[in-house]
Amino acid sequence: MSHRILIADDHPLMRTALAQTIGQAMAGAEILEVSRFDQIKPVLETGEGVDIILLDLHMPGMSGLIGLMMLRSEHPAIPVIVVSASEDPVTIQRSIDYGASGFVPKSAPNTQIVEAINAVLDGELWLPELHGAHDADAPDPAQRAATLTPQQLRVLAGIAEGKLNKQIAYEMNVAETTVKAHVTTILRKLNVLTRTQAAVLASQLALAPAPPPPVE
């Protein structure tokens, strides 16, 4: 399956390196490039749109994380991977908190950008290995699950049962893309990276079956 991937970075060498890496690893991918934040919107509003955005936080017009929040607010269905030279844990966590589906440091090996793209296109989150998915001070599973909407809880239940997005979408009578967006939000709210981790967390919330009544 071919994908349309938008690279938004003001450094020509970085755009070229990313485009070459993606082109070699993802056959048939259509790669688009912009160098300023204000060039992103016209690309997204074309009929064909894009499947994923690789975003530099420091490109002209971005205003850092404000640009990311604006982008996610206006185009919530399009996942964003931040590709940035700022690699501190605070920037990484804030990028995820403000809507990014992944974060790849510019110093990372080229293979990591491909790993991140594939993971995010599959509806998962992707973070550098040194940035753990769990925080010792994070709320317990019940507190995290309490932040989910009723629709998101239905999707989580489907994940816990091992159902595919298309199966969940059919049962909920919604588009598969809607379920995919819910999954990304669920992973972010539960502070996990993969569907498997979400399913494990959901299992921690499941009640054990009631014991059978005593035989008289």
Side-chain angles (χ1 to χ4, degrees):
M1 180 180 179
S2 62
H3 295 285
R4 284 169 57 88
I5 300 172
L6 175 61
I7 300 174
D9 194 301
D10 62 320
H11 293 93
L13 292 178
M14 189 65 193
R15 293 199 307 271
T16 299
L18 289 172
Q20 290 178 344
T21 298
I22 297 167
Q24 292 170 1
M26 303 178 69
E30 182 179 354
I31 301 170
L32 310 171
E33 300 180 21
V34 298
S35 60
R36 300 195 314 272
F37 183 71
D38 61 5
Q39 295 173 331
I40 296 177
K41 187 174 181 179
V43 174
L44 301 186
E45 292 181 348
T46 62
E48 296 177 279
V50 300
D51 296 301
I52 193 167
I53 301 170
L54 307 183
L55 184 69
D56 176 20
L57 290 178
H58 301 293
M59 66 189 304
M62 267 293 295
S63 299
L65 293 167
I66 294 176
L68 171 63
M69 289 188 284
M70 289 173 57
L71 193 57
R72 295 296 298 136
S73 174
E74 295 172 3
H75 303 277
I78 303 175
V80 176
I81 296 176
V82 170
V83 182
S84 178
S86 299
E87 304 177 18
D88 60 283
V90 173
T91 299
I92 295 174
Q93 189 59 55
R94 284 181 177 173
S95 296
I96 298 301
D97 291 343
Y98 295 157
S101 295
F103 189 104
V104 180
K106 286 189 175 181
S107 63
N110 290 341
T111 53
Q112 287 196 2
I113 190 63
V114 178
E115 291 176 13
I117 291 172
N118 286 328
V120 171
L121 287 174
D122 284 340
E124 299 181 349
L125 300 181
W126 197 96
L127 295 174
E129 289 184 6
L130 295 179
H131 187 81
H134 297 280
D135 188 329
D137 297 325
D140 65 34
Q143 288 177 298
R144 283 178 265 162
T147 66
L148 301 179
T149 67
Q151 290 286 79
Q152 290 164 0
L153 287 169
R154 289 185 64 186
V155 173
L156 179 60
I159 292 173
E161 294 170 7
K163 295 176 180 177
L164 301 175
N165 285 350
K166 62 182 179 182
Q167 294 174 300
I168 299 173
Y170 177 79
E171 293 178 357
M172 295 178 62
N173 194 30
V174 297
E176 187 174 346
T177 53
T178 299
V179 172
K180 195 171 182 179
H182 278 319
V183 171
T184 300
T185 302
I186 289 167
L187 298 183
R188 185 177 296 110
K189 286 185 175 182
L190 296 185
N191 197 28
V192 298
L193 298 181
T194 68
R195 293 171 69 98
T196 300
Q197 292 172 340
V200 170
L201 189 147
S203 70
Q204 296 173 12
L205 302 175
L207 297 175
V215 177
E216 303 230 353

